[in-house]
Amino acid sequence: MTDPQATQLNDIISKENQLVLNMLSERGKNIYFPKLGILSQSAQAKGKEINATIGQAMADDGKPMHLEGFDSLTNMSIGDIYPYAPSYGKPELRAKWKEFIYEKNPSLGSHPISLPIATNGLTHAISMAGYMFADEHDEIIMPDLYWENYDLIFDNTYNATIKTFPLFADNQFNIDGFTKALQNAKGTKKILLLNFPNNPTGYTPSPEEIDAIKKAILAEAEAGNTVTVLIDDAYFGLVYKKGIFTESIFTQLANLHERVLAVKIDGPTKEDYVWGFRVGFMTYGIKNGSPKLYETLEAKTAGAVRGNISNISNLSQSLLYTIYQSKEYNSYKQDKYSILESRFAELEQVLNEYGDNQHFTPLPYNSGYFMCIKLHGGLQGEEIRQLLLEKYSTGVIVFGDVIRLAFSAVPKQSIRKMVENIIVACKELAQ
Ligand SMILES: Cc1ncc(COP(=O)(O)O)c(C=O)c1O
């Protein structure tokens, strides 16, 4: 049975934009952030002389209990380490991340968006998006080259069905294939997942391609369908070529149509090189999105987080917030970007030199951590991978006849050798 607190949230959504209520999964409709019960009773007891409400151990001085051995490991205040963080995320970090979204995406202008909800990395944000929007047998449309963890999230966890379209046609974003996949998706409630820079290909579309994607989505909305667009911005900001769209596609969708809900999934994991911190965010944008609508979606998402993993590491959020306040943050980040950019440039140069080899062709790439090559002449990726491991001390990832190279993980001086090893291995197996 639906809890009255969920009904209350659904009534608000329905008043603000009935179409958004239709986009929610059954789980999404039923979830709520509990305002009654433990959380509200604890809030009411705050500041009282005796507070026996909190599920944390407090020292006699009222501060969070902790093992003194930790004291020498960090200079953070104990409140920024040991207590639970709110299920929504730490307020100052959420506000900062929202500020970043506007700064990094100038074409968003001043269009209102929700406050980001903190998640346990992007994987968890993607899973929470599945929780909120994907019912059993719903189709999730995405390109055929996608991060394999989407299978575990959408297929295994939510019993949804991944429907793919070929990412490329004539070495460009396959706008016809994309448009047809959207049109042919069953029902009137469409769910789309876009990930640029893409894993595994390292592809980000050009501004013209982004515009064509946007028009295809708008046409669906104008035809009376709803489109929930999950935007996986894991590799945001890592674009290395001119003429490529450098903002998030969220900017183009967050104010597109009242039937298009843009769900931005992003975070510091790859952007700020903090894979182990486990912090990500989920942010909503929709045309005429009111503060009430956004607050309600935030409450539901925070409820899903609470019911799933309770809340995100306080320490990780505090560390991030501290570095974001630092004057040097941008220059630290620029240093790392330059390293990845120089590896990209080296790889591009080496691949151009070997451009006319008959064993493989690079798939389009311009951004992110990876690029892919497609094998020819019946060469099997797995055989090449094994040979590279055994004879050439080189590790790569393969999917069928596609090899993924994580140039993000290879020093510039080893990139030529990596490509040459692949060429020699291909030659050997082609004989
Ligand atoms: C496209 C994409 N999205 C999300 C993630 C996961 O990010 P996180 O480590 O923050 O869960 C990855 C990690 O490889 C990825 O490639």
Side-chain angles (χ1 to χ4, degrees):
M1 223 191 62
T2 309
D3 188 282
Q5 295 179 80
T7 308
Q8 212 179 12
L9 295 179
N10 294 344
D11 288 346
I12 299 174
I13 297 182
S14 168
K15 258 196 223 127
E16 299 298 309
N17 182 342
Q18 171 65 35
L19 302 159
V20 171
L21 191 65
N22 301 347
M23 292 185 215
L24 294 175
S25 65
E26 283 311 302
R27 261 185 230 93
K29 289 192 179 98
N30 288 330
I31 194 68
Y32 57 94
F33 189 77
K35 288 215 162 136
L36 312 171
I38 294 177
L39 293 179
S40 77
Q41 293 176 28
S42 300
Q44 286 164 3
K46 223 173 173 183
K48 300 294 172 204
E49 188 186 341
I50 298 174
N51 183 352
T53 63
I54 335 173
Q56 298 179 117
M58 307 307 273
D60 290 347
D61 64 1
K63 292 190 176 142
M65 228 178 234
H66 71 282
L67 308 184
E68 287 76 5
F70 286 121
D71 286 343
S72 60
L73 300 181
T74 149
N75 59 6
M76 296 263 163
S77 79
I78 61 177
D80 283 330
I81 304 176
Y82 303 102
Y84 288 129
S87 292
Y88 282 74
K90 295 189 79 166
E92 62 277 22
L93 182 66
R94 297 175 67 207
K96 186 74 201 166
W97 195 259
K98 183 169 177 177
E99 205 180 296
F100 277 160
I101 292 179
Y102 281 111
E103 261 173 43
K104 295 170 184 172
N105 295 281
S107 55
L108 197 53
S110 55
H111 178 68
I113 58 174
S114 79
L115 258 174
I117 294 291
T119 58
N120 195 42
L122 281 85
T123 307
H124 181 233
I126 299 162
S127 185
M128 290 298 90
Y131 184 111
M132 291 282 288
F133 300 104
D135 278 316
E136 212 171 290
H137 308 308
D138 276 355
E139 291 178 353
I140 320 279
I141 307 156
M142 61 182 78
D144 57 351
L145 293 161
Y146 63 83
W147 184 39
E148 68 172 12
N149 206 8
Y150 296 158
D151 288 328
L152 298 190
I153 298 171
F154 294 111
D155 278 352
N156 292 61
T157 309
Y158 300 110
N159 283 326
T161 307
I162 291 181
K163 280 263 163 165
T164 63
F165 63 92
L167 174 56
F168 298 118
D170 298 329
N171 280 338
Q172 290 180 333
F173 184 84
N174 176 11
I175 191 68
D176 284 349
F178 167 72
T179 307
K180 283 199 189 96
L182 249 187
Q183 286 167 347
N184 296 340
K186 69 169 198 222
T188 55
K189 177 189 149 181
K190 321 242 170 175
I191 308 175
L192 177 64
L193 193 154
L194 296 174
N195 161 230
F196 306 127
N198 171 263
N199 177 2
T201 61
Y203 186 74
T204 297
S206 66
E208 296 74 30
E209 289 170 328
I210 292 282
D211 199 49
I213 294 171
K214 167 177 144 175
K215 286 190 175 130
I217 294 171
L218 182 60
E220 283 301 308
E222 285 174 343
N225 300 306
T226 62
V227 192
T228 308
V229 192
L230 312 183
I231 300 165
D232 181 344
D233 280 340
Y235 300 91
F236 181 85
L238 296 167
V239 173
Y240 312 112
K241 299 271 291 184
K242 294 233 159 15
I244 303 302
F245 195 66
T246 50
E247 296 187 17
S248 167
I249 194 168
F250 181 73
T251 56
Q252 307 302 301
L253 305 178
N255 192 16
L256 187 63
H257 196 282
E258 290 185 353
R259 291 177 190 275
V260 177
L261 178 66
V263 184
K264 187 172 184 354
I265 291 163
D266 57 12
T269 308
K270 317 272 179 177
E271 281 189 48
D272 290 327
Y273 314 98
V274 289
W275 311 275
F277 277 25
R278 311 314 303 145
V279 177
F281 297 97
M282 208 165 142
T283 308
Y284 297 100
I286 189 165
K287 190 172 179 135
N288 296 326
S290 63
K292 266 193 186 159
L293 177 67
Y294 288 140
E295 277 162 28
T296 318
L297 287 172
E298 287 165 31
K300 280 183 173 282
T301 311
V305 171
R306 178 162 166 81
N308 202 260
I309 55 160
S310 189
N311 54 73
I312 318 306
S313 159
N314 187 352
L315 176 58
S316 291
Q317 294 186 69
S318 304
L319 286 169
L320 285 164
Y321 184 68
T322 308
I323 202 85
Y324 294 155
Q325 302 297 105
S326 146
K327 277 202 210 71
E328 283 89 35
Y329 166 62
N330 284 329
S331 74
Y332 292 146
K333 196 164 170 167
Q334 182 59 37
D335 282 354
K336 305 302 170 211
Y337 171 87
S338 302
I339 295 171
L340 294 193
E341 187 185 34
S342 72
R343 292 176 185 172
F344 171 90
E346 173 75 359
L347 182 57
E348 194 181 35
Q349 189 185 322
V350 175
L351 284 169
N352 283 343
E353 284 173 31
Y354 287 104
D356 57 359
N357 85 85
Q358 71 271 38
H359 303 299
F360 63 76
T361 322
L363 295 178
Y365 64 106
N366 49 36
S367 53
Y369 277 25
F370 312 107
M371 66 81 59
C372 288
I373 55 176
K374 192 168 171 59
L375 298 167
H376 299 313
L379 283 171
Q380 295 300 311
E382 182 54 19
E383 286 178 26
I384 298 205
R385 191 179 77 83
Q386 291 295 345
L387 187 61
L388 282 169
L389 284 174
E390 281 158 29
K391 201 164 160 189
Y392 298 99
S393 193
T394 300
V396 297
I397 299 287
V398 301
F399 329 92
D401 61 357
V402 170
I403 299 183
R404 187 189 78 175
L405 305 175
F407 59 83
S408 59
V410 180
K412 187 176 166 193
Q413 66 270 22
S414 303
I415 282 184
R416 177 172 294 275
K417 185 111 180 36
M418 170 180 76
V419 173
E420 288 174 353
N421 287 349
I422 294 170
I423 295 205
V424 178
C426 287
K427 267 193 195 140
E428 226 171 294
L429 285 170
Q431 276 162 11

